[in-house]
């Protein structure tokens, strides 16, 4: 392991012996010379080998026949390399400005195949999305796809660092629950011990609130969540990574919004610094670090703006629809030059029972956050007074007895608190200008997609 | 939110007006004066209020009757405070060396109750573990329990930072799978769409190997894993947090072991630096930062050492048993003064089919890592040559057809690779000298435990 050099380090190394490992991207097997493009997790490099062919034996009388045999074998090996084969090459590094691929090449000395690929590669970059998903382990070798997950890594680490530096506690809430976490719809059931039934957590909602009641103050969690959602849109999955935070002693949802906008500002800055140029090159997208504060528009005003733009929202419940979200995003882009907007002051009828209501307006102390016209978050102050909570649950037609384990949290003291949940894949999709969360998910899960 | 001061900041503030928020830990309601210990996520502070009793009206003729009524009401409120009630207090901070609790106290001015607790607290620190788990949201308010999750946060962040600084990619592998990930036993089934069955991932094993085949090079994941394990030991749960890493282009499991020991050294250093004193105070444990390298003992030698210590391992499969693990840990502690030991060179019969075997010895290129005598990790180089992998699967009585989705990963090229999986709760349990993973898990899940 100690000898291996990463491809992106070659440029700064002196000419001379070197060892690289990676997989075969292309082979160009010409009569006199063979070229292989070898890729590793950091880049691609050209390998070169002067071909030794059996039909043209050397006329040099001083040639070592063993060396000849080795040269013949190497030429044959390289000629037979299938795309995707993983190998290690020891050879001579040469700097040559004429080589387009990084200005260096390696003259092959020794070549060791780790595992040869089947000669037929089942997918190409332009295969159908479904076919590419069947062979996601090959699809992910593409530079763009590799970059997606390096961006994911940077984004998450910047967020966690933001929280850790501010004394947030990281929790791992259970995904197996005795009762539904949010609604009885779209719920996966798991047969459990002793004929019991467990449910997969649709969100960590109840458990991150539990941390507030436990006096944790400020917490975060990045973890899977599950929805038995039969829809096939570009924004839905049956399993997704949820980014959650919850904090105590807030005055309103505004305190949550302030934390979230700072968090996103910090995380986008980290992505722009580390991957901005490469994102521009491979996705044609300039990462914009969102200015603080993000614009805020009450829902009623947003609907008026959308109407004034000539779009008539067909929904009768007073909420925005996807086109309405795109319209308000266009307005915000034109007016504030901003990609984000908090929509606030939702009516209780279109929000969860646990959203706190403003005493004066009766509207919920909650928001949605839109990023380039797509909802990525719902945030809110939660109702922590158990009697009010029970009333609000009843209003929604929920039976407080079924919520008893949750209501119990608030019977032994509770602080005012709130938080948000944010879909990781949606943020990545919108950040990179991709058309579907499937492209930015390691292994997508949907109604008809469980493998690989 | 802006006015609130955390309790651990009080000591460094000047005397004067201050606002704190937290929950009531104790109330001492004396005739002339009332004391409340208020705790928040950073510490506890004494609140003091000179009692104003209706039976003893002020004789000061200059007293404002309204102020009297307010003072009476405040005294009554404080007298009626139930343990666990969350409240905000505005008052006068006073520094007083005689106050044992931090050398400060706050004379109560105004007191606002956020949510009152039921007068009866259902558990105490010495309630049975099962009872405490029923009310985990109250149990977690204990200082020791709060510390556990701050240690968890520091431990994980140090590990992730170690990886991110070395260009590892963070992945979120799916927990819903079309086939079992490890074995057909102890598997949770989930009825899925169209009468299909999904399985909950027992580990991210196959998917973290997939990342190697995808050319990711080095990856990590910290995520839930699920085992339908009916056992009730102190070390088993049906849902647990698994810490996983996998790296390419290794020469053997030794490269994995070297990464893991460095990782643990770094993470324990971070915990010792940030929480060492508090862990000593609340758990009576000195955090030892493990010296590098950790001792390594081949399994056969370990068995001889255990036998020489007079313990006869009853297992016939050649592995250690829990008492054997404790014996070898005692030997390592006495000989090397070390809490960790890698046990290496396991026979293929007692290892997974995908462990690579040494060509000379026929033993697997794998290890277990013991921490204070308890296994916390299995690590290995994986077999990446698909023909060898199929043979090894058959040897174990597995049907390669059922493994086809996994075997496919290796048919289109693969690098040599390996990694480890480590149970977070086991590490925390052993680090803090706790007796069970239940005590260090946010919400434990077992065969008879699904709530809260």
């Amino acid at each position: 392991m100690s000898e291996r050099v990463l491809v992106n380090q070659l440029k700064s190394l002196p000419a001379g012996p070197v060892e690289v490992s990676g997989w075969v991207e292309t082979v160009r097997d010409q009569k006199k010379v063979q070229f292989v493009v070898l890729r590793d997790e950091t880049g691609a490099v050209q390998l070169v080998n002067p071909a030794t062919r059996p039909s043209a034996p050397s006329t040099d009388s001083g040639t070592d026949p063993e060396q000849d045999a080795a040269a013949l074998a190497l030429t044959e090996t390289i000629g037979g390399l299938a795309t995707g084969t993983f190998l290690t090459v020891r050879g001579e590094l040469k700097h040559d400005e004429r080589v387009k691929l990084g200005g260096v090449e390696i003259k092959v000395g020794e070549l060791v195949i780790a595992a040869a690929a089947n000669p037929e590669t089942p997918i190409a970059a332009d295969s159908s999305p479904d076919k590419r998903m069947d062979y996601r382990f090959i699809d992910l070798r593409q530079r763009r796809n590799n970059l997606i997950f390096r961006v994911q890594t940077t984004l998450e680490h910047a967020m966690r660092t933001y929280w850790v530096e501010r004394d947030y506690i990281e929790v791992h809430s259970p995904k197996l629950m005795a009762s539904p976490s949010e609604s009885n719809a779209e719920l996966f059931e798991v047969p459990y011990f002793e004929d019991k039934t467990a449910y997969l957590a649709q969100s960590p909602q109840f458990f991150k609130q539990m941390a507030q009641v436990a006096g944790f103050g400020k917490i975060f969690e990045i973890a899977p969540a599950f929805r038995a959602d039969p829809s096939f849109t570009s924004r839905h999955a049956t399993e997704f990574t949820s980014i959650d935070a919850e904090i105590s002693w807030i005055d309103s949802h505004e305190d949550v919004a302030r934390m979230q906008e700072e968090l996103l500002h910090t995380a986008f800055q980290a992505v722009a610094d580390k991957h901005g140029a490469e994102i521009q090159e491979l996705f044609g997208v300039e990462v914009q670090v969102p200015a603080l504060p993000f614009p805020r528009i009450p829902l009623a005003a947003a609907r008026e703006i959308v109407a004034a733009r000539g779009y008539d929202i067909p929904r009768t419940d007073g909420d925005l629809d996807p086109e309405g979200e795109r319209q308000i995003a266009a307005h915000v882009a034109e007016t504030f030059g901003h990609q984000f907007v908090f929509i606030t002051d939702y009516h209780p009828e279109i929000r969860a029972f646990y959203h706190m209501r403003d005493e004066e307006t009766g509207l919920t102390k909650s928001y949605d956050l839109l990023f380039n016209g797509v909802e990525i978050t719902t945030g809110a102050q939660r109702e922590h007074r158990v009697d009010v909570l029970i009333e609000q649950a009843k209003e929604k037609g929920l039976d407080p007895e079924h919520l008893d384990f949750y209501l119990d949290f608030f019977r032994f003291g509770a602080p005012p608190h709130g938080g948000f949940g944010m879909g990781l894949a949606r943020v990545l999709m919108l950040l990179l200008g991709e058309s579907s969360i499937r492209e930015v998910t390691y292994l997508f899960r949907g109604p008809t997609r469980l493998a690989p």
Side-chain angles (χ1 to χ4, degrees), chain A:
Chain A
M1 201 184 190
S2 52
E3 306 290 337
R4 183 189 177 210
V5 165
L6 293 170
V7 166
N8 69 355
Q9 300 170 330
L10 292 172
K11 184 110 188 153
S12 59
L13 287 183
V18 75
E19 177 182 324
V20 293
S21 298
W23 66 94
V24 174
E25 202 165 73
T26 59
V27 179
R28 205 147 42 95
D29 192 7
Q30 298 173 349
K31 195 172 177 191
K32 299 266 182 192
V33 62
Q34 300 175 302
F35 296 100
V36 175
V37 173
L38 187 82
R39 180 169 293 283
D40 73 5
E41 61 267 35
T42 68
V45 63
Q46 178 167 284
L47 312 177
V48 60
N49 183 51
T52 305
R53 306 291 180 183
S55 53
S58 169
T59 52
D60 181 346
S61 57
T63 304
D64 175 347
E66 264 189 43
Q67 203 175 324
D68 259 11
L72 275 165
L74 180 61
T75 301
E76 198 178 345
T77 300
I78 291 175
L81 283 176
T83 303
T85 293
F86 280 70
L87 51 81
T88 292
V89 161
R90 293 179 197 91
E92 288 289 314
L93 175 68
K94 214 180 99 182
H95 293 264
D96 185 340
E97 300 252 318
R98 292 167 304 176
V99 179
K100 282 185 194 159
L101 201 58
V104 294
E105 63 178 17
I106 296 171
K107 184 168 175 298
V108 178
E110 189 187 357
L111 185 152
V112 182
I113 291 176
N118 275 5
E120 298 283 319
T121 305
I123 55 160
D126 60 352
S127 296
S128 76
D130 222 49
K131 190 90 195 271
R132 285 192 290 106
M133 270 197 279
D134 286 343
Y135 294 94
R136 184 65 164 159
F137 51 100
I138 300 174
D139 187 42
L140 288 172
R141 290 179 191 163
Q142 290 184 64
R143 256 187 91 192
R144 301 169 43 98
N145 286 342
N146 185 286
L147 178 58
I148 289 168
F149 296 94
R150 287 189 287 118
V151 169
Q152 171 174 293
T153 305
T154 300
L155 190 77
E156 289 188 49
H157 195 63
M159 289 193 286
R160 291 201 191 93
T161 301
Y162 172 93
W163 284 319
V164 169
E165 284 175 351
R166 284 158 184 79
D167 290 328
Y168 282 62
I169 290 178
E170 174 164 10
V171 299
H172 299 287
S173 69
K175 307 310 163 199
L176 292 170
M177 302 175 66
S179 342
S181 52
E182 291 266 351
S183 81
N184 292 312
E186 305 184 347
L187 200 58
F188 285 118
E189 297 189 357
V190 185
Y192 204 68
F193 291 90
E194 295 165 9
D195 296 326
K196 287 199 292 283
T197 298
Y199 302 92
L200 292 183
Q202 295 158 304
S203 85
Q205 183 60 37
F206 290 178
F207 296 133
K208 63 183 184 163
Q209 290 192 251
M210 192 190 99
Q212 309 310 304
V213 169
F216 278 21
K218 295 175 284 189
I219 62 112
F220 70 92
E221 175 170 16
I222 301 181
F226 306 88
R227 302 251 167 112
D229 186 336
S231 55
F232 286 90
T233 80
S234 62
R235 303 185 282 180
H236 290 91
T238 53
E239 176 177 351
F240 62 99
T241 301
S242 184
I243 300 170
D244 283 89
E246 195 81 13
I247 52 178
S248 285
W249 301 109
I250 59 172
D251 290 327
S252 77
H253 58 294
E254 180 56 33
D255 290 319
V256 180
R258 262 199 299 272
M259 181 261 284
Q260 190 176 8
E261 66 188 356
E262 235 184 76
L263 178 80
L264 285 167
H265 174 86
T266 305
F268 275 46
Q269 185 69 61
V271 169
D273 291 348
K274 191 158 183 178
H275 309 290
E278 214 176 343
I279 291 172
Q280 178 74 65
E281 180 195 348
L282 296 178
F283 290 88
V285 169
E286 189 189 347
V287 177
Q288 292 179 36
V289 180
L292 295 174
F294 295 3
R296 285 143 168 85
I297 303 179
L299 178 60
R303 286 178 60 92
E304 279 171 27
I305 290 165
V306 171
R309 291 176 67 91
Y311 178 65
D312 193 20
I313 299 173
R315 288 178 74 140
T316 55
D317 61 3
D319 205 349
L320 296 173
D321 65 347
E323 177 57 25
E325 290 177 345
R326 281 188 287 274
Q327 288 286 339
I328 199 71
H331 165 80
V332 168
E334 291 157 18
T335 314
F336 305 101
H338 213 287
Q339 295 182 314
F340 289 87
V341 59
F342 287 112
I343 307 295
T344 63
D345 299 278
Y346 285 78
H347 194 278
E349 270 181 28
I350 50 174
R351 300 305 252 188
F353 74 94
Y354 50 77
H355 283 199
M356 185 179 266
R357 299 173 192 177
D358 186 277
E359 284 188 15
E360 285 176 28
T361 65
L363 300 174
T364 60
K365 298 170 84 167
S366 76
Y367 64 80
D368 275 7
L369 177 59
L370 310 186
F371 175 25
N372 285 341
V374 177
E375 183 215 313
I376 58 168
T377 289
T378 296
Q381 175 161 7
R382 327 298 185 183
E383 182 52 66
H384 62 279
R385 297 161 297 186
V386 71
D387 47 340
V388 184
L389 198 53
I390 290 171
E391 280 315 304
Q392 292 185 181
K394 281 185 189 163
E395 237 180 66
K396 293 267 178 192
L398 299 169
D399 182 348
E401 267 188 40
H402 294 160
L403 292 166
D404 218 38
F405 98 95
Y406 170 66
L407 295 171
D408 249 5
F409 295 166
F410 305 95
R411 292 191 168 113
F412 304 91
H417 64 282
F420 70 82
M422 176 164 65
L424 171 61
R426 289 195 182 188
V427 176
L428 283 170
M429 170 181 80
L430 297 160
L431 174 61
L432 299 172
E434 285 291 271
S435 59
S436 168
I437 59 167
R438 296 166 199 219
E439 296 291 339
V440 299
T441 303
Y442 182 62
L443 281 166
F444 172 75
R445 290 293 181 253
T448 58
R449 171 63 65 182
L450 259 180

